[in-house]
Structure formats: C-alpha cells, structure tokens
Amino acid sequence: MLLVNAHHVKRVPGRKTDVSDAQWLQYLHSVGLLQGSFRPNEAICAIRSMGRHRESLVQAASACIQMMQKALTQMNLQCIT
C-alpha cells in the first residue's frame, strides 16, 4: 500500500482515466514509477492541526475586530487605541 500524490500520478504518461485505473496504477507502482508521499507521524500531525486551528481563530478574531471598527466608524464614533 502506498500513499501517492495525485499531482505526481497525473504527470506519469499513460492512460489514467478509464476503467482499469487501479490495474494501471498497480503496474506503475510495480515498475517503480510512483513515489510515495511524505506522511508525518501522529504527534506532528496533531501539532500541525493545532497550529492551523489557531491560525483560523486569529483570522476570525481579526475579522470581528474589523467589523466592530467599521460599525463604530459608521456611527461617527472615534476608536481610540
């Protein structure tokens, strides 16, 4: 079993869109034309997931701050920061 990047498989010459996809990919793997993708261990995946979640929270918070500043500006109130 091998996890392969679809972008790399797309660049390999030959037929890849007909019914015999699985057989064709198995053949490419058996002759060594497919390269496995990097898959980090679970600890690294968890850390990367937390980093992505933190980034999304920071972006959401900044969007809320911008909306509050816009509302204050529309109400002709001055933001003092």
Side-chain angles (χ1 to χ4, degrees), residues 49-66:
S49 176
M50 287 189 292
R52 285 191 293 269
H53 182 62
R54 181 188 178 282
E55 181 66 28
S56 68
L57 291 176
V58 168
Q59 288 179 356
S62 64
C64 289
I65 290 171
Q66 288 175 350

Side-chain angles (χ1 to χ4, degrees), residues 20-35:
S20 62
D21 255 359
Q23 293 173 348
W24 179 245
L25 290 174
Q26 188 274 332
Y27 173 73
L28 291 176
H29 176 61
S30 67
V31 294
L33 291 177
L34 296 181
Q35 182 180 6

Side-chain angles (χ1 to χ4, degrees), residues 1-27:
M1 189 69 113
L2 186 66
L3 178 65
V4 179
N5 188 345
H7 184 69
H8 296 149
V9 174
K10 186 176 182 180
R11 291 188 293 165
V12 174
R15 61 193 189 287
K16 293 180 288 295
T17 57
D18 58 348
V19 178
S20 62
D21 255 359
Q23 293 173 348
W24 179 245
L25 290 174
Q26 188 274 332
Y27 173 73

